[in-house]
Amino acid sequence: MTDQKAKMGHLEVVCGSMFSGKSEELIRRLRRAEIAQQKVLVFKHSLDNRKTIDYIVSHNGNKLKAFALSSATEILELVDDDVSVIGIDEVQFFSNEIVNTIHTLVNRGKRVIAAGLDLDFRGVPFGSIPLLMAIADSSTKLKAVCIKCGDNAHFTQRLINNQPAKYNDPVILVGAEEFYQARCRSCFVIDRSPAYNYERI
Ligand SMILES: [Zn+2]
């Protein structure tokens, strides 16, 4: 064996509830890489089938230009050899193929920073986030502030017409007024607990 090891990258996961500052933290890490003269590419999910240029925006108004894509594999087509750092925001919206995509990028020597919601409004782990947290080199779980009591919050409360959403409410409700709040475990309201059994969720 020679003492030359393949240069591997690494994966950092930044997760938390809504309003926990995930995008802000992602932008902070990416800006530091840019200051260090590293080439950075940023991606987010387009939520439709268009491939566009968009921005990732934090709640305090910071923003970074990003490619909005609908498929994880498109990321591989856009990352050249000279790219060192890849940021992915709202990673939970990509299909589970994103895990293989990120694994490939890390094995190609890239530093990947993936930010996303760890739990959905029911308190169920969101999309590929559990897998990504498990294979990450580091994972950071950010807390928001509970809007009811001021404690640390890691749940996202969904409210429909000002009432807590029910576990089985559809994701899209036409004509309903809905919004989200950060809440602690005590103040989070849902009509039933998740079973944490992936056959049944
Ligand atoms: Zn609370």
Side-chain angles (χ1 to χ4, degrees), residues 145-153 182-188:
V145 178
C146 176
I147 201 156
K148 296 289 240 191
C149 74
D151 278 353
N152 281 334
R183 293 201 186 180
C184 72
R185 193 184 290 279
S186 302
C187 298
F188 175 67

Side-chain angles (χ1 to χ4, degrees), residues 61-183:
N62 263 329
K63 63 181 188 175
L64 263 187
K65 198 177 265 193
F67 287 101
L69 307 170
S70 59
S71 133
T73 50
E74 289 177 282
I75 293 175
L76 294 175
E77 295 161 20
L78 290 163
V79 174
D80 298 327
D81 285 347
D82 59 344
V83 172
S84 321
V85 183
I86 294 138
I88 307 172
D89 199 16
E90 304 283 13
V91 70
Q92 77 280 354
F93 289 135
F94 285 97
S95 71
N96 278 355
E97 186 57 31
I98 193 73
V99 182
N100 290 315
T101 297
I102 288 173
H103 189 246
T104 301
L105 291 168
V106 168
N107 283 348
R108 280 168 53 185
K110 313 298 185 192
R111 175 187 177 200
V112 180
I113 311 165
L117 281 170
D118 48 4
L119 300 175
D120 68 14
F121 75 90
R122 303 170 301 169
V124 173
F126 211 137
S128 61
I129 286 275
L131 280 168
L132 291 173
M133 287 176 80
I135 65 167
D137 297 72
S138 80
S139 89
T140 305
K141 184 156 173 152
L142 297 173
K143 303 288 199 308
V145 178
C146 176
I147 201 156
K148 296 289 240 191
C149 74
D151 278 353
N152 281 334
H154 75 277
F155 287 94
T156 300
Q157 178 73 54
R158 182 186 187 199
L159 293 150
I160 298 171
N161 298 330
N162 252 335
Q163 296 301 313
K166 294 199 163 37
Y167 192 93
N168 287 321
D169 277 340
V171 175
I172 309 243
L173 272 172
V174 178
E177 190 182 319
E178 64 174 314
F179 58 100
Y180 295 88
Q181 294 175 337
R183 293 201 186 180

